[in-house]
Amino acid sequence: MEDCVSMGADALSYFMNIGVELREGKPFHRQLELICPAVSVLILVYFTVRGALGALDTLRADAENEEPVNPWIVMAFAIWGIVFDCFALRAFLSSADVGSAQSNMMSALLHVGADFARSVTTLIESVLIIGWRICFGFDSVRTDAWACLMVSGTILLGAVAAVVEIARDFTAKGCASKDDAREVALRTPNSA
């Protein structure tokens, strides 16, 4: 369930970032270029922390009362996620100059990277549950919770990097766009 909610937040983030790109050269582009990545990262962090807290509750609780995780469903979602994320990562690599990437596109890349990490982890989780449950007695509920914590930690580290990038972008370029500065200059009468 957390994966579905998180993917919905990711889709919202993609649409926000596309909206920012469509505003290029128009008023408020620069402000949106700073606001949308910050909102996007906050959404990602919120759902990541929420999922991690749920996983911690699962690990603390009696797992025998929980409904077991169906590893085949987990595997199907993981494979679909990996395929989708590979296409998305390829699109980023083929169309973006990583050295001069804007913070809103870096935010979108963070979401794709987080999805990819989550998909790989859930694939490994499903293999552990399917293949080794018999040999090692892996508990599907606890395995799912541990996988969630591992992915959450990775995502939160990536979020810290994104916040640093947003802060660098803000300090390097400020909040006003060239168009905004030009508009202010036209409205201000010369004092000479």
Side-chain angles (χ1 to χ4, degrees), residues 83-146:
V83 169
F84 178 81
D85 294 333
C86 284
F87 280 112
L89 289 170
R90 174 140 169 72
F92 269 105
L93 293 175
S94 65
S95 68
D97 179 14
V98 177
S100 66
Q102 297 169 338
S103 59
N104 66 319
M105 294 310 290
M106 289 299 291
S107 168
L109 181 60
L110 172 66
H111 282 273
V112 173
D115 280 345
F116 186 75
R118 185 173 43 247
S119 295
V120 168
T121 303
T122 54
L123 179 64
I124 293 168
E125 167 196 348
S126 67
V127 169
L128 288 173
I129 294 170
I130 292 168
W132 293 351
R133 183 186 324 183
I134 297 167
C135 298
F136 299 108
F138 279 0
D139 178 2
S140 64
V141 175
R142 290 191 179 279
T143 303
D144 187 52
W146 279 110

Side-chain angles (χ1 to χ4, degrees), residues 4 6 11 16 20 46 58-59 65 68 78 86 109 113 117 140-141 145 147 150-151 157-158 163 170 172 174 177 179:
C4 293
S6 182
M16 287 189 324
V20 169
Y46 170 77
T58 298
L59 290 173
N65 295 334
C86 284
L109 181 60
S140 64
V141 175
M150 290 170 44
V151 171
L157 287 175
V163 168
F170 177 74
S177 66
D179 294 333

Side-chain angles (χ1 to χ4, degrees), residues 1-2 9 12 37 61 74 111 154 189:
M1 184 58 89
E2 284 300 321
L12 174 65
V74 172
H111 282 273
T154 304

Side-chain angles (χ1 to χ4, degrees), residues 25-46:
K26 297 176 182 169
F28 301 111
H29 174 255
R30 178 66 186 147
Q31 291 84 355
L32 289 173
E33 212 174 30
L34 293 170
I35 292 169
C36 286
V39 168
S40 174
V41 170
L42 283 173
I43 289 170
L44 182 64
V45 167
Y46 170 77

